[in-house]
Amino acid sequence: MDAIFNRLRNLDAYPKINEDFFRRTFSGGLITIASSFIMLFLFFSELRLYLHAKTETRLIVDTSRGGKLHINFDMSFPAIPCSILSIDAIDVSGEQHLDIIEKPLQRHGGRLEHNETYCGSCFGAESSDDECCNSCEEVREAYRKKGWAITNQDLIDQCQREDFIQKVKDEEGEGCNIEGSLEVNKVAGSFNFVPGKSFHQSSFNFLGLFALQTSDHNVSHRINRLAFGDHYDGLVNPLDGVHWKYDKQNVMHQYFVKVVPTIYTDIGGHTVHSNQYSATEHFKSVEFGNSLSIPGVFFYYDLSPVKVTYSEEHVPFLHFMTHICAIVGGIFSVAGIVDAFIYHGQRKMKKVEIGKLG
């Protein structure tokens, strides 16, 4: 048994030195205190990283097909009244959403009651003999379906009854704040804020400004919020808070947006499917009457083929212990080297002083 103990004793990698042979120095004490503070500082730094989740970022190819894209917006136009401002959206698949702002009708106009038998004329835009247009909006919609523009709304009985032109005049000098959302196909497309009603013909969107073709419009605007999808922690929308003020009229302001699909998973496993985006912009003055260049704010968006995934994770406990051991062992070894260098350096200097070196 004693032979086994002796063999195990010979395997000791930490041989002990008799305390009579220890020599403690002042410099060694200072190095011990300094290295202890460094160890504690690094230990608490590692502990803080271990207790807090870190975010892992990965890039993968977006292989999803179809789906919808949710666009949330909040915009202010200080120089354009709500009565003439509209939103239009169209994508490369051909799906259109024209004039998607809902506006209340005037108190003395609007649709007829259900018990009335009157059937208003669509002024040549009827798709069938029994089609009725009982409001100014229905006449405009019938014209849009035909690809026609209304050049003089004063000649339309329904529009006179709703007193739309007077409403526009009453709101002169007012602004408009628009807040809402769009649900569009997950393909490239555009949406715009324009002072007028749009209609579609031959793959182009045209603008009908009612009886206001000679008017000038100031498209100064502020983007309070523009997001493509739900919010998650750390999401930054670069256009939030952007403000443009124009002194001149009839400006076409364009934003070109690159949408990046994003999946965010928090430490609790809750997953949010959203989007990030980057944006560039361009603006130019336009001549009124040019159907291909009209005043307004236009957003052209396209989707990136690369998807970003964020996931919150804790550092594994074994990694934490490995880092702690590396800190303690590394600082202890470096401190020992520094102490040995100082100790032997002091001894050599003393020998030089008394003439014993060499």
Side-chain angles (χ1 to χ4, degrees):
M1 198 67 179
D2 292 338
I4 296 176
F5 287 154
N6 289 331
R7 290 182 180 180
L8 291 175
R9 193 179 296 113
N10 292 332
L11 294 176
D12 185 6
Y14 309 98
K16 310 305 183 290
I17 302 175
N18 194 319
E19 292 184 359
D20 295 336
F21 296 98
F22 279 125
R23 182 177 182 181
R24 304 185 186 277
T25 62
F26 176 76
S27 61
L30 292 179
I31 293 174
T32 301
I33 294 175
S35 60
S36 299
F37 276 113
I38 295 175
M39 286 182 188
L40 288 174
F41 174 75
L42 294 179
F43 170 77
F44 284 112
S45 297
E46 286 293 330
L47 182 62
R48 182 178 60 85
L49 292 176
Y50 172 71
L51 295 178
H52 289 78
K54 66 175 183 178
T55 302
E56 292 288 340
T57 304
R58 299 179 180 89
L59 297 177
I60 59 176
V61 175
D62 187 6
T63 58
S64 61
R65 299 192 301 269
K68 294 291 184 178
L69 182 65
H70 296 272
I71 305 173
N72 305 306
F73 57 86
D74 181 1
M75 295 190 61
S76 299
F77 294 85
I80 301 178
C82 289
S83 57
I84 65 171
L85 189 64
S86 66
I87 307 176
D88 306 316
I90 187 171
D91 57 46
V92 294
S93 68
E95 184 171 326
Q96 306 170 45
H97 304 273
L98 302 180
D99 189 25
I100 54 182
I101 294 181
E102 295 289 341
K103 299 186 179 70
L105 298 176
Q106 297 295 315
R107 290 181 301 171
H108 305 296
R111 297 180 182 275
L112 299 174
E113 300 298 331
H114 293 294
N115 58 357
E116 296 186 28
T117 58
Y118 171 74
C119 180
S121 171
C122 294
F123 297 90
E126 298 90 345
S127 58
S128 61
D129 294 337
D130 58 350
E131 183 177 0
C132 301
C133 295
N134 294 336
S135 69
C136 185
E137 178 60 31
E138 290 184 357
V139 176
R140 291 198 294 267
E141 182 63 27
Y143 267 64
R144 280 195 292 272
K145 291 180 179 178
K146 289 286 187 179
W148 301 345
I150 298 177
T151 58
N152 192 347
Q153 215 162 230
D154 290 330
L155 301 178
I156 299 175
D157 177 68
Q158 291 90 329
C159 296
Q160 289 180 351
R161 181 159 54 87
E162 294 178 16
D163 202 15
F164 180 80
I165 299 300
Q166 185 60 42
K167 179 183 177 182
V168 174
K169 292 180 181 178
D170 292 341
E171 293 185 0
E172 185 175 357
E174 295 182 0
C176 186
N177 178 257
I178 303 177
E179 181 180 6
S181 62
L182 295 171
E183 186 179 79
V184 297
N185 294 325
K186 197 175 179 181
V187 294
S190 66
F191 61 97
N192 52 70
F193 299 80
V194 291
K197 302 286 186 179
S198 296
F199 64 95
H200 187 76
Q201 187 177 32
S202 301
S203 300
F204 291 99
N205 280 331
F206 294 90
L207 192 66
L209 286 173
F210 320 127
L212 308 174
Q213 280 91 348
T214 59
S215 299
D216 291 328
H217 300 280
N218 189 325
V219 297
S220 298
H221 61 279
R222 176 182 177 85
I223 303 176
N224 302 311
R225 179 172 181 261
L226 180 64
F228 292 80
D230 299 329
H231 180 78
Y232 61 85
D233 292 340
L235 175 64
V236 176
N237 298 316
L239 291 181
D240 286 0
V242 170
H243 180 214
W244 282 93
K245 184 177 181 180
Y246 292 105
D247 297 327
K248 55 186 177 180
Q249 312 292 335
N250 296 336
V251 173
M252 183 179 187
H253 198 117
Q254 299 170 305
Y255 293 94
F256 301 91
V257 180
K258 177 66 73 173
V259 180
V260 181
T262 303
I263 299 177
Y264 178 83
T265 304
D266 61 19
I267 195 65
H270 178 65
T271 300
V272 177
H273 293 264
S274 185
N275 301 277
Q276 305 176 79
Y277 68 88
S278 61
T280 57
E281 55 190 326
H282 173 74
F283 58 89
K284 63 179 179 180
S285 300
V286 299
E287 295 182 2
F288 202 90
N290 185 355
S291 59
L292 298 181
S293 296
I294 55 180
V297 180
F298 299 80
F299 293 87
Y300 302 93
Y301 59 89
D302 193 7
L303 281 87
S304 171
V306 176
K307 179 185 294 184
V308 180
T309 63
Y310 295 108
S311 58
E312 290 186 343
E313 301 175 354
H314 274 305
V315 176
F317 180 73
L318 291 180
H319 287 191
F320 170 70
M321 292 303 301
T322 301
H323 292 168
I324 296 302
C325 292
I327 289 172
V328 174
I331 294 179
F332 186 82
S333 299
V334 172
I337 294 173
V338 173
D339 179 66
F341 177 79
I342 294 176
Y343 174 72
H344 292 291
Q346 289 177 341
R347 291 192 63 186
K348 288 185 177 181
M349 290 178 63
K350 288 181 179 180
K351 289 182 178 181
V352 170
E353 291 176 358
I354 63 177
K356 291 186 176 181
L357 185 64

